[in-house]
Amino acid sequence: MKRILILLACGLWLFGAAGMAPADAGSGADLRGASFRVAVLQDFPPLYGQDSQGRPAGFAIDLLETLAVEAGFTIDYVVTENWGTAAQLVRDKEADFVPGFGINDYRLAEFDFSVPMESIPVRAFVKKGDRRIRRIADLTNDRFVTAVIDEGAAHVELRRRGGFHLALKSTVDEGLNALLAGSVDAFVFPEPVLLQKLRSMNLAGFVEAVDEPLLTLKRGYLFRPDDPYLPSLNQHLEELVQSALYTDLLSQWYGEPVPFWTIQRTVLYMLLLLGLLAATLVVWKNYSVGRVNNRLRRSENHLAVRNRELEQLVYVASHDLRSPLVNVDGFSRELEYSLLDIGALLEAQTPDPVALEQLVRSELPDMQQSLKRIRKSTRQMDLLIKGLLKLSRSVRGALQLQPIDMNRLLQDLCGSFAFQIDELGIELTMGNLPPCRGDISQVSQVFANLIDNAIKYRDPRRQPQIHISGEVKKDLALYRVADNGIGIAANHQGNIFELFHRLNPVDGEGEGLGLTAVKQILARLDGDIQVESQLGNGSIFIVALPAVNVRQIKG
């Protein structure tokens, strides 16, 4: 936007200048249609520099190109490194003039100059905090080395005064680097140019100027003596430096840079920060509410599971435990009836020994059978009660969660089945198992139950085989316990994890609580279990547990 305003101001100034200028544009040669080779410096900010495409740029370039548009001449730039080589190009007639050259008596003796295009102070700069040099006169001490640009204004003036130990440099970068490195004690240079350079390099806080300037340097256009175009250029230059456009160009190239933290930008960033904070709070609120909801859902699911377990326990208490009691009650009544019949014969006034013997012989088998059934029912009740106590202990104890090396755990566990494996000729194999997170004793109980079932429900028609494998999927460690046993019928697979449900009620042993305990243990460990089976073709039990990184096991 600033650049556009300057161009608009340039157009207005050109329109006004065209209306006020005389037709011959002064006593010199007419500039319109002329073409000039102009020597410019490659790097002397803000007077000279380069844009992003490598073309000359800077205050002197903008001023010259404005003059060229107004006066109607064209420019061909010759880029050089320093003022000395620029002046030599004019001497050798390889360039027609140099814009922005410092004007002094030494140069006026050889060249002609235009009217001044700017006036700037030349000062001595020292490293920040160097209290040895506070005035220009302090540099006459032989202990101090002063850097200047070869044939620059400072070089000419200090050489004229004498008594200074000078280090000649070709470019501003050489002089500034020498000062920062400590190879010179001061660098005398035009103040606005050096400050602009320091700002562009983010080094403004590393150097400071001494109190008074060495001189006030006026800059103009350097020409060879008696150049016929100089009078006409002077007139156009005088008009330009008195215009508002000149002030705008000075402000653009020499003004203090706009600070990053302006009031508008500060307010904008605060609003953005407040918006980001509000968005973060909303996201965090939604995340927190989501976590609470997830916990509530997990609690509800947990309560639902516990309610189902309680319903099963109520069913057990009303059916499975009551069934043996009914048997005990029924057979004990039969015993009671038999004993009443025998007692009635014994209490008769004249007992008939023959009738008594016949009665005892007829009732004794039924009495013995009743006693056997009573004992069987009491054993069944004892087994059920012990199973419930065992189940309660397995899902009630405190958990000690930690990373588990499943390869070591299964190797130790399989060792406890070594006798059965050898005696039955079981082929048990195990792949490389990923680690998981859980309670060692509880996880051991899970896999001990699965291996025990695989042995218990083997198919007698073939050699028993058990294979344990594992893999990691996302954040779960999956373990498969596969066997070639009798398998599980499809109509039984949905309820094998229920209380007192046995895989083979006819031939199997046990109370039917093993897989129920497995299911509940895994639920406490944030895991799960599933089964894949075909009757007569074996079963695969898939156990899921939280996975961990291998490095946690090694640590």
Side-chain angles (χ1 to χ4, degrees):
M1 179 61 73
K2 186 175 181 181
R3 189 77 172 181
I4 294 173
L5 292 174
I6 291 174
L7 291 175
L8 289 173
C10 179
L12 292 173
W13 175 81
L14 292 176
F15 178 77
M20 294 184 293
D24 61 358
S27 59
D30 189 3
L31 293 171
R32 192 166 302 279
S35 179
F36 297 100
R37 288 173 58 81
V38 181
V40 297
L41 270 63
Q42 181 178 4
D43 184 27
F44 200 83
L47 210 60
Y48 292 114
Q50 293 182 334
D51 62 15
S52 59
Q53 298 179 353
R55 296 175 301 191
F59 173 67
I61 298 297
D62 282 358
L63 200 65
L64 175 61
E65 292 183 351
T66 303
L67 284 174
V69 172
E70 190 275 332
F73 61 85
T74 59
I75 307 164
D76 184 18
Y77 292 114
V78 181
V79 181
T80 186
E81 291 186 355
N82 54 55
W83 297 110
T85 57
Q88 190 62 42
L89 288 172
V90 175
R91 290 190 192 98
D92 297 338
K93 297 184 179 181
E94 295 181 15
D96 296 304
F97 61 85
V98 184
F101 218 107
I103 304 172
N104 55 43
D105 294 338
Y106 172 77
R107 290 168 181 155
L108 286 169
E110 182 181 2
F111 299 99
D112 284 348
F113 280 86
S114 69
V115 295
M117 55 175 277
E118 68 172 354
S119 177
I120 58 175
V122 177
R123 305 176 74 101
F125 290 86
V126 298
K127 293 184 72 172
K128 188 82 171 181
D130 189 347
R131 303 298 180 212
R132 301 172 302 162
I133 304 169
R134 305 313 304 162
R135 300 176 303 149
I136 294 290
D138 294 338
L139 295 173
T140 56
N141 192 320
D142 289 339
R143 293 187 301 118
F144 299 128
V145 179
T146 304
V148 293
I149 300 299
D150 188 16
E151 294 302 321
H155 180 201
V156 173
E157 179 63 22
L158 292 178
R159 183 173 60 192
R160 184 188 66 78
R161 293 187 185 188
F164 294 90
H165 185 186
L166 301 179
L168 304 183
K169 305 298 179 182
S170 298
T171 64
V172 60
D173 286 336
E174 289 184 16
L176 183 57
N177 290 343
L179 176 62
L180 294 173
S183 59
V184 299
D185 301 288
F187 181 31
V188 184
F189 199 74
E191 183 177 23
V193 178
L194 190 62
L195 291 179
Q196 188 84 356
K197 186 73 174 177
L198 289 167
R199 282 195 292 265
S200 68
M201 300 170 65
N202 293 323
L203 295 174
F206 285 77
V207 299
E208 60 185 354
V210 299
D211 289 340
E212 79 282 0
L214 172 68
L215 56 90
T216 299
L217 176 66
K218 294 182 178 181
R219 293 188 182 278
Y221 286 41
L222 180 146
F223 282 83
R224 286 186 296 275
D226 301 322
D227 190 295
Y229 291 103
L230 181 56
S232 297
L233 188 138
N234 269 337
Q235 181 178 349
H236 289 290
L237 184 57
E238 282 180 327
E239 293 172 355
L240 178 56
V241 297
Q242 293 173 15
S243 68
L245 177 59
Y246 177 79
T247 306
D248 290 338
L249 290 174
L250 276 178
S251 175
Q252 176 188 350
W253 289 103
Y254 285 101
E256 288 288 333
V258 178
F260 182 82
W261 291 110
T262 61
I263 294 177
Q264 295 86 347
R265 184 169 286 170
T266 301
V267 171
L268 176 62
Y269 274 79
M270 286 183 66
L271 290 175
L272 289 174
L273 192 60
L274 287 174
L276 182 61
L277 180 60
T280 303
L281 290 175
V282 170
V283 172
W284 177 252
K285 176 186 174 183
N286 293 336
Y287 173 73
S288 300
V289 170
R291 288 186 63 186
V292 171
N293 289 336
N294 288 335
R295 289 177 180 175
L296 287 174
R297 280 193 293 270
R298 284 199 297 268
S299 298
E300 289 176 357
N301 294 335
H302 181 73
L303 287 174
V305 171
R306 290 292 176 263
N307 285 334
R308 286 195 298 270
E309 291 174 357
L310 286 173
E311 290 174 0
Q312 288 181 327
L313 287 174
V314 170
Y315 175 80
V316 168
S318 63
H319 184 270
D320 292 65
L321 287 176
R322 191 169 181 276
S323 179
L325 285 175
V326 171
N327 288 338
V328 170
D329 181 64
F331 290 118
S332 63
R333 278 206 206 99
E334 290 187 6
L335 282 176
E336 182 182 8
Y337 296 150
S338 298
L339 290 174
L340 286 174
D341 290 340
I342 295 172
L345 286 177
L346 290 174
E347 291 175 359
Q349 293 182 354
T350 56
D352 184 352
V354 176
L356 179 63
E357 181 180 358
Q358 289 177 347
L359 180 60
V360 170
R361 288 183 181 276
S362 64
E363 294 291 339
L364 185 60
D366 292 337
M367 294 173 65
Q368 290 175 335
Q369 185 66 26
S370 295
L371 286 173
K372 287 181 182 180
R373 289 179 178 176
I374 289 172
R375 291 185 62 189
K376 181 179 179 181
S377 296
T378 56
R379 284 196 300 270
Q380 184 180 359
M381 288 180 59
D382 182 62
L383 190 64
L384 292 174
I385 292 171
K386 287 180 178 178
L388 289 173
L389 291 173
K390 180 181 177 182
L391 177 63
S392 175
R393 284 192 295 268
S394 68
V395 297
R396 196 178 53 191
L399 295 176
Q400 295 182 354
L401 299 179
Q402 59 184 300
I404 301 175
D405 184 348
M406 292 299 291
N407 289 306
R408 177 180 298 178
L409 185 144
L410 265 299
Q411 287 172 359
D412 294 343
L413 190 60
C414 291
S416 64
F417 289 94
F419 177 78
Q420 293 169 275
I421 291 171
D422 292 340
E423 184 180 34
L424 300 172
I426 297 172
E427 180 184 337
L428 193 151
T429 57
M430 186 174 68
N432 187 35
L433 304 178
C436 69
R437 184 172 184 81
D439 181 285
I440 291 180
S441 63
Q442 297 271 282
V443 174
S444 296
Q445 184 176 341
V446 167
F447 284 92
N449 191 283
L450 295 179
I451 294 172
D452 183 63
N453 281 348
I455 295 174
K456 185 185 301 181
Y457 298 109
R458 63 191 180 276
D459 190 332
R461 298 171 300 175
R462 50 180 175 257
Q463 180 189 9
Q465 293 179 345
I466 303 172
H467 180 67
I468 304 172
S469 60
E471 62 176 331
V472 175
K473 283 190 177 180
K474 295 183 179 180
D475 56 349
L476 289 177
L478 301 180
Y479 306 96
R480 289 176 170 81
V481 180
D483 63 61
N484 64 343
I486 61 175
I488 305 170
N491 60 334
H492 281 278
Q493 292 178 19
N495 50 18
I496 60 173
F497 299 106
E498 295 178 359
L499 283 167
F500 304 115
H501 187 93
R502 292 162 59 190
L503 292 176
N504 192 336
V506 177
D507 299 326
E509 299 176 356
E511 66 275 16
L513 291 171
L515 290 178
T516 304
V518 166
K519 183 77 171 179
Q520 294 190 11
I521 288 171
L522 291 173
R524 294 186 71 202
L525 298 175
D526 292 328
D528 197 9
I529 185 169
Q530 296 177 348
V531 64
E532 297 175 358
S533 181
Q534 287 185 345
L535 188 62
N537 291 323
S539 304
I540 302 176
F541 285 87
I542 304 169
V543 176
L545 285 166
V548 295
N549 195 305
V550 177
R551 286 175 292 185
Q552 292 181 265
I553 301 295
K554 294 181 178 178

